[in-house]
Amino acid sequence: MDYAISEKYKQMSEAVIDAVPELHWIREAGVRIVYERSFKGKKHSGKLVLGECKKVPDDWALYCPYDFRIIVYEANTEGLTENQLKVLLWHEHLHIGLRETDGELVYRVTPHDIEEFDPIIRRFGPHWANFGADIPDITEGGG
């Protein structure tokens, strides 16, 4: 099996959502997220993919009680610190979005502002995910 549900990433994500004000709406709206670890690596356009946020298709609702999947590709994140993983989870949560369609709010995956999300670049710079980067713990107020 290539994927497993991760209690570790769920707990880390709950702490990140508590610590980052622009994510509070996710909990308040009752967005249902499953956190997964992938044992396989992934590349896109020749670059390693560290994590991914995917909307669960509406027609899966009968079988899958979640709105989004957040996946961490562990083969690609080996060597990242726990603090870097927390920033990665923050990044993936920024993909969770809402839009109005025909007067109804529906979930969607939000694309990047640029190559990365602006709030993360402002706080940690564009190289936060480089191996060996010294990133403060965003859940301890150090970020």
Side-chain angles (χ1 to χ4, degrees):
M1 188 169 239
D2 295 335
Y3 296 89
I5 292 175
S6 174
E7 187 63 31
K8 171 187 169 183
Y9 296 132
K10 178 181 179 184
Q11 290 175 1
M12 288 174 74
S13 291
E14 288 173 354
V16 168
I17 289 169
D18 286 342
V20 179
E22 64 261 35
L23 298 179
H24 290 175
W25 77 270
I26 292 171
R27 179 169 288 128
E28 293 163 3
V31 178
R32 300 168 303 166
I33 306 165
V34 62
Y35 298 93
E36 301 173 33
R37 50 195 298 233
S38 172
F39 305 110
K40 292 176 65 174
K42 182 174 181 175
K43 286 187 176 184
H44 179 72
S45 300
K47 295 180 181 179
L48 292 178
V49 175
L50 303 180
E52 191 168 25
C53 176
K54 294 184 173 190
K55 184 183 177 305
V56 173
D58 294 335
D59 58 348
W60 288 20
L62 182 62
Y63 311 102
C64 182
Y66 300 103
D67 302 306
F68 290 91
R69 299 169 61 205
I70 290 184
I71 305 158
V72 174
Y73 293 96
E74 291 187 337
N76 297 348
T77 60
E78 282 185 48
L80 292 184
T81 66
E82 187 170 317
N83 291 344
Q84 287 176 299
L85 287 171
K86 289 175 184 177
V87 175
L88 172 63
L89 291 167
W90 177 19
H91 169 104
E92 296 309 330
H93 284 91
L94 287 173
H95 282 295
I96 297 172
L98 285 171
R99 77 169 167 241
E100 188 173 334
T101 303
D102 298 325
E104 183 180 335
L105 291 176
V106 294
Y107 292 126
R108 71 181 190 106
V109 174
T110 302
H112 297 115
D113 306 65
I114 47 176
E115 183 77 17
E116 173 58 84
F117 287 106
D118 185 59
I120 293 175
I121 289 175
R122 279 188 279 121
R123 284 180 74 183
F124 300 106
H127 305 293
W128 65 267
N130 287 2
F131 294 107
D134 186 20
I135 302 298
D137 186 344
I138 62 174
T139 63
E140 297 293 325

